[in-house]
Amino acid sequence: MTSNQTADRSSRSVCDPAELRGLFLFEKLTDEQLAWLCADGRIETIEPGLVFREGDPATCLYVLMDGELVLTKQSSGAEIELVRTEHRGAYAGAWMSYIGDKVEQTYSGTMQVTRPSRFYVLDAEVFSRMMREWFPMAVHLLEGVFFGNRNTNARIGERERLLALGSLSAGLTHELNNPAAAAVRATSGLRERVAGMRHKLAMMADGKFDPASLGALVRLQEEAAAQVAKAPELTPMEAADREDMLGEWLEEHGIIDGWNLAPNFVQAGFDTDWLERVAATLDGAPEQVFQGAIRWLNYTIETELLMNEIADSTTRISSLVGAAKQYSQMDRAPFQVVDIHDLLDSTLVMLSRKIGDGVRVVKEYDRTLPRVPCYAAELNQVWTNLIDNAVYAMNGAGTLTIRTRHENDCAVVEIGDTGPGIAPEARNRIFEPFFTTKPMGEGTGLGLDISFRIVVNKHNGDIRVDSEPGDTRFTVWLPLRRPEQEPVTATDTEGQS
C-alpha cells in the first residue's frame, strides 16, 4: 500500500502541543519544540488495515496516540507478529531517517492497525532535520554506536570465519596427506616391482622358456592383470582361509617364500585351481623356470594392485580438492542457484576429520528438491557452524542426521544430533551474539548469531531449534524464489556452476 492509499482512508485533526507532551517521547521538550512538532507534523486517524509494508521506502515516523498497532515481519514466506500494542507513544516507521543515505531507508517491518487509531505522523525528511538541529551531539553518538556495532560485528564475524577456515584447513591438510602418502608409498613399491619384472624379462630373453610356454605365460599374465580389476570382496576369515590354501600349495611346489606371495594372489581373486593351470602350462620346465614364472605373475599382480592404489589415492585427492572448491565457492559468483545437497556434501567432506569415526552420518535427502537461489559460500558457513556444534554436543559419539525437504515454497534443511540437548533456559538465547554454552576458550558465541544473520537477513529465511535429550534439531528454511519473486523449478539453471 502506498502513502497515498493510506491517506485515502485516514483523516486529519488539529495537533495539540499539550497532548504531545503527554507522550513519553516528547515529555521533556520545550513549548517551542512542541509547537514546531505540531506545525511540521500532523495528527491522523487511520482506519483498520495496512499502514506500511516491509521493504517499502520509509517515508514517515508514526507515534501511536490512541488505538492499537501490530508490527510483523516476513519469515520463510510467513508473516511473524513481533509487536501488538495499545501503548500510547509506541513508535514505528522511519525512525532511523536521521542517519540519512548512509543506510538504506526502508521499512524494516509491516505495520497494521486493528481498529481506528490516531497517530502523530512526521515525514522522514522533517524528522531527520529535527534530530540534526535539536540533538546534534546525540545524532553523532547514535551514528557512532550504529556504525561501530556494525563494523565490530563485521570484524568479529570475519575473525570467526578465519578461525573456522584455519580449523578446516588443518583437517583438509590431514585428509590430503593420507592419500598423498599412500600414493608416494605405492609409487616407490611400483618402481621395485617393475625392476623385478625387468630382471625376469632378462631371464626369459635368455631362452629359458620355450616359445609355447612363453606365449601361454603371457596370456596368463594378461588374465592376472584383468582379474585384479574384478577381484571379489572377501571377509577377513575367507581371505585367511584362502591364504592358507595358497601358501600350502606354493610350498608343496617348491616356491621359496610362497607364504609371502599367497596374500597377493588372494587379493587378486586367484585360487589353487588357477595356480594348477600355471603349473600345467609349464609342465616339464626346470624348477628355476617355474619359480621365475610364479614370481613374474606375482610382480604383475603387485603392479596392478599398486597402480589401483595410486589411482584411488589420486582420485581421493582430486575429490578433496573439488570439495574444497565447492565449499569455498572459489571462482564462482557470490549469488547463484545451486543444488543445496552439493553444499551439504562439501561441508561434510571438509569436516570429516572433526566428525571422526565415532559419529554416524545419516543423510536423508529429498533429491526432488529444486535448486536454491542463495549466497552459497555463506550458506556453507551456516552448515559448518550447525554441524560443528552437533558433533561437539555428541562428544565424538552419536548420530548426525541431515535431512532436506520441500515445504511452503522453501527448501528446508534439518541438522540433528543425539547429544544431551540444550537446556530450556539457554534455548531462547542461543542466537544471541557472544552467548555460548561451551567452556571458556572453546566458543566465541558468534557461530549461531552469524548463521542467523546469514539465513534471516541475507536470505529472508528462518532458522529454529527444537531440543530434548537425545534429539536436537536445527531447521533452516530458505525461500525458493529469487528477489524478483520468480519461482525456481527443479531444472532451473541446470548445468550452471
Side-chain angles (χ1 to χ4, degrees), residues 98-377:
Y98 66 87
I99 297 179
D101 58 6
K102 296 176 184 177
V103 297
E104 186 179 14
Q105 294 293 337
T106 58
Y107 291 120
S108 60
T110 297
M111 186 173 87
Q112 302 180 65
V113 292
T114 59
R115 61 176 185 266
S117 302
R118 293 175 65 239
F119 289 88
Y120 171 76
V121 183
L122 193 60
D123 289 342
E125 292 180 2
V126 178
F127 176 59
S128 176
R129 187 173 73 250
M130 179 203 78
M131 288 289 291
R132 292 184 174 278
E133 289 178 3
W134 293 5
F135 314 110
M137 182 177 176
V139 167
H140 287 306
L141 289 173
L142 289 169
E143 285 182 344
V145 170
F146 177 84
F147 291 109
N149 283 343
R150 191 164 71 173
N151 292 338
T152 298
N153 288 338
R155 293 188 65 179
I156 292 175
E158 186 64 30
R159 180 177 181 274
E160 184 84 0
R161 285 189 288 272
L162 289 173
L163 288 173
L165 182 61
S167 175
L168 291 173
S169 297
L172 180 62
T173 301
H174 177 83
E175 291 295 326
L176 285 170
N177 182 65
N178 288 340
V184 170
R185 289 194 302 269
T187 302
S188 176
L190 183 62
R191 184 176 288 111
E192 294 177 5
R193 275 39 173 206
V194 170
M197 291 183 73
R198 287 199 301 268
H199 175 73
K200 298 304 177 187
L201 187 61
M203 178 192 299
M204 294 164 65
D206 287 342
K208 294 179 180 177
F209 288 82
D210 62 77
S213 296
L214 183 59
L217 189 60
V218 169
R219 287 192 295 275
L220 287 170
Q221 180 192 29
E222 292 175 350
E223 184 180 329
Q227 175 63 26
V228 171
K230 55 185 180 182
E233 288 285 340
L234 300 176
T235 66
M237 185 67 71
E238 291 173 333
D241 290 343
R242 286 199 181 189
E243 287 175 14
D244 289 342
M245 293 174 61
L246 265 68
E248 291 176 2
W249 189 96
L250 292 169
E251 187 177 61
E252 291 171 359
H253 289 74
I255 303 299
I256 300 173
D257 294 332
W259 290 100
N260 292 328
L261 304 182
N264 290 332
F265 286 103
V266 171
Q267 190 175 352
F270 294 115
D271 53 20
T272 54
D273 290 341
W274 189 81
L275 291 177
E276 290 288 355
R277 287 174 54 201
V278 176
T281 301
L282 300 174
D283 187 34
E287 182 181 345
Q288 183 182 6
V289 172
F290 184 65
Q291 286 269 1
I294 291 295
R295 295 190 182 280
W296 167 267
L297 293 173
N298 180 63
Y299 284 140
T300 298
I301 292 169
E302 284 190 313
T303 56
E304 289 296 322
L305 292 173
L306 289 168
M307 285 190 290
N308 286 346
E309 186 174 351
I310 292 171
D312 290 342
S313 298
T314 52
T315 299
R316 174 62 177 162
I317 291 171
S318 178
S319 298
L320 286 168
V321 171
K325 288 186 68 176
Q326 174 67 259
Y327 179 83
S328 66
Q329 294 294 299
M330 190 185 305
D331 302 326
R332 301 185 183 188
F335 188 84
Q336 45 187 308
V337 182
V338 301
D339 184 340
I340 205 75
H341 305 110
D342 291 341
L343 304 185
L344 291 166
D345 286 341
S346 69
T347 303
L348 287 171
V349 170
M350 295 295 288
L351 289 172
S352 59
R353 185 188 180 202
K354 184 172 284 190
I355 292 172
D357 297 332
V359 174
R360 185 170 71 100
V361 178
V362 176
K363 296 190 286 188
E364 299 177 2
Y365 290 170
D366 177 3
R367 292 294 184 178
T368 66
L369 191 64
R371 293 158 71 89
V372 180
C374 64
Y375 294 90

Side-chain angles (χ1 to χ4, degrees), residues 410-432:
C410 285
V412 181
V413 178
E414 185 180 288
I415 296 176
D417 67 71
T418 55
I422 303 170
E425 60 271 18
R427 213 168 296 161
N428 293 331
R429 300 190 58 198
I430 57 173
F431 293 111
E432 293 180 11

Side-chain angles (χ1 to χ4, degrees), residues 41-109:
R42 58 192 181 272
I43 303 297
E44 291 188 13
T45 299
I46 302 176
E47 295 300 316
L50 180 68
V51 180
F52 58 74
R53 191 183 302 280
E54 178 182 350
D56 287 347
T59 59
C60 295
L61 173 71
Y62 294 85
V63 182
L64 181 64
M65 302 185 73
D66 292 297
E68 183 181 57
L69 65 81
V70 179
L71 291 175
T72 61
K73 193 170 182 64
Q74 282 282 334
S75 179
S76 302
E79 202 83 15
I80 306 300
E81 183 174 311
L82 303 177
V83 175
R84 180 183 293 263
T85 183
E86 301 176 351
H87 183 63
R88 298 181 73 248
Y91 59 89
W95 64 273
M96 289 185 60
S97 59
Y98 66 87
I99 297 179
D101 58 6
K102 296 176 184 177
V103 297
E104 186 179 14
Q105 294 293 337
T106 58
Y107 291 120
S108 60

